[in-house]
Amino acid sequence: MNFLQTIKISFFIGITALAATSCDKKQTAEERKADSLAHCIADGIPSRASAIKNASYITEGKGDTTGMAWISGGKFLMGSDEFPDSRPMHEVNVNGFYMDKHEVTNAEYAAFVKATNYKTVAERPLNPADYPGVPADKLVPGSAVFTPTPTRVSLDNPLQWWNYVAGASWAHPEGPSSSIKGRENYPVTHVSYEDAAAYAKWAGKRLPTEAEWEFAAQGGKGNHTYYWGDELKPGNKWVANIYQGSFPDKNTKEDGFLTAAPVETFPANPYGLYDMDGNVWEWCEDLYRPDYYQKSAKDNPKGPSDSYDPDEPGAVKRVQRGGSFLCSDDYCIRYKAGSRGKGEVTSGSNNLGFRCVKDKI
């Protein structure tokens, strides 16, 4: 039994769950060189691979470009020298595409669920065969919810601030007693890769490639520390929903939000896209490998043919981009421009969402 499986089983015997976004602690340049990968997003959510096939019945929609921005494409410098799995920086060319101006919202996802009766991975029963030795009454659907600690803690154990909450899902973000009423314009969360891909298919769209996502995030401005520029607070104003204060015990909420913010709250980039930094992580289509940039195609790269993460060799992972409301320069620095996140494909959490793209009609 590997470490990840042990962590997953621990969810159902009363131990706090490892979920997502332990990410990088603030590091020196030498420490960053030794950093093989960041643990960003959903490394420990229970895998329900046996249940993901129910997305196959979704009928592909015709789609339209309402609420999307046209991104004309072109050449750009992709990656970052700051992170081992984002090296080397390399020139890439992408064709034009449409991209959702904002993350898919709760209201938009609710329309999809109403039309298809789709059940997200977080809502599906778990197979006892996947969790030998765990009592059947403990195998309940749910998802991971960030829970602040009462006091400052060491940052080497994400189990301290992530809880597996029974009944947590896109429609109940903090658990059964919560709902999305009044949060229709917030980004949908607790969606796995399969859940995001199913919505995209229904909408007649697709998930962005990692290259498309980064090209769009740069907004035609080239490489900078952050996608909005080189200053953390330009004009002394927060321009993205990230974490301020002492992580994980005290968010000072200087930007106005403890968790996710409604879409279009912060300024759009030059392409008219919102929240390409912070708010919630976003799924990309690409499978994840830390060495992919060493052999990436120059024209319209679509990622490697297989997934490999040396931290969890048996897990299938996809790329995630943009960071979330839990990222900051003091802890989770993988929201910086050019950096990469990763997630096991059947995993979700309350800081993980997505947006879609569409090819030119």
Side-chain angles (χ1 to χ4, degrees):
M1 182 180 297
N2 63 31
F3 174 75
L4 177 60
Q5 188 177 11
T6 301
I7 289 294
K8 290 173 181 176
I9 289 176
S10 74
F11 290 159
F12 308 107
I13 55 177
I15 299 176
T16 303
L18 169 62
T21 323
S22 64
C23 292
D24 289 336
K25 288 176 276 189
K26 200 168 190 178
Q27 299 167 305
T28 65
E30 288 186 358
E31 286 172 330
R32 283 202 183 99
K33 288 180 181 178
D35 167 30
S36 61
L37 285 176
H39 299 275
C40 288
I41 295 298
D43 283 342
I45 304 300
S47 172
R48 276 155 282 189
S50 61
I52 67 177
K53 299 301 183 184
N54 86 350
S56 62
Y57 70 86
I58 300 296
T59 300
E60 186 170 359
K62 294 182 179 180
D64 62 51
T65 58
T66 302
M68 305 186 84
W70 171 248
I71 313 298
S72 60
K75 292 182 179 180
F76 74 109
L77 198 59
M78 183 174 179
S80 170
D81 287 333
E82 190 170 0
F83 305 94
D85 64 341
S86 298
R87 302 172 188 155
M89 295 181 70
H90 55 290
E91 187 176 86
V92 170
N93 180 69
V94 295
N95 294 339
F97 56 95
Y98 290 94
M99 176 174 262
D100 288 343
K101 292 181 180 179
H102 56 71
E103 297 141 337
V104 172
T105 65
N106 285 320
E108 290 169 330
Y109 207 81
F112 158 64
V113 170
K114 182 178 180 179
T116 63
N117 294 316
Y118 181 84
K119 291 288 186 183
T120 61
V121 172
E123 299 171 284
R124 301 174 203 166
L126 291 94
N127 184 355
D130 293 337
Y131 304 94
V134 179
D137 63 349
K138 300 296 183 183
L139 296 175
V140 294
S143 191
V145 178
F146 171 75
T147 305
T149 58
T151 59
R152 182 171 291 190
V153 296
S154 169
L155 299 181
D156 59 2
N157 181 13
L159 299 177
Q160 299 171 101
W161 55 85
W162 283 102
N163 283 320
Y164 182 84
V165 177
S169 69
W170 75 273
H172 305 284
E174 290 80 46
S177 63
S178 65
S179 78
I180 58 171
K181 186 176 181 180
R183 291 191 274 184
E184 290 83 0
N185 203 40
Y186 283 61
V188 68
T189 56
H190 294 293
V191 285
S192 71
Y193 167 81
E194 275 73 17
D195 302 330
Y199 173 93
K201 180 180 179 181
W202 172 79
K205 303 177 183 180
R206 60 179 174 82
L207 296 180
T209 66
E210 184 180 11
E212 288 171 335
W213 197 98
E214 185 170 333
F215 180 85
Q218 287 188 8
K221 298 186 297 185
N223 291 87
H224 292 277
T225 304
Y226 312 99
Y227 287 116
W228 63 76
D230 293 314
E231 294 182 61
L232 179 61
K233 292 176 63 179
N236 204 35
K237 293 182 179 180
W238 292 104
V239 294
N241 180 18
I242 56 176
Y243 195 98
Q244 299 92 39
S246 171
F247 185 90
D249 59 304
K250 187 178 181 180
N251 186 338
T252 59
K253 206 171 74 170
E254 290 178 28
D255 60 12
F257 299 93
L258 283 174
T259 57
V263 299
E264 301 185 357
T265 296
F266 293 87
N269 78 1
Y271 290 154
L273 305 172
Y274 295 87
D275 295 315
M276 298 301 283
D277 265 298
N279 216 22
V280 296
W281 284 93
E282 300 180 15
W283 285 108
C284 291
E285 181 63 27
D286 304 40
L287 291 165
Y288 175 83
R289 288 189 66 98
D291 57 356
Y292 177 63
Y293 284 10
Q294 298 170 25
K295 50 194 173 185
S296 171
K298 291 185 177 180
D299 292 322
N300 300 303
K302 293 179 171 57
S305 59
D306 63 340
S307 166
Y308 177 72
D309 180 357
D311 290 342
E312 299 179 64
V316 177
K317 296 190 177 183
R318 302 268 179 174
V319 173
Q320 298 160 345
R321 284 301 201 109
S324 78
F325 59 80
L326 296 179
C327 287
S328 75
D329 281 2
D330 289 327
Y331 181 58
C332 175
I333 61 177
R334 289 270 174 150
Y335 75 109
K336 287 187 172 182
S339 62
R340 312 170 75 200
K342 57 184 178 179
E344 192 271 333
V345 293
T346 65
S347 302
S349 59
N350 72 323
N351 67 336
L352 174 60
F354 70 104
R355 76 180 72 208
C356 301
V357 298
K358 184 175 178 58
D359 295 319
K360 189 173 182 179
I361 300 173

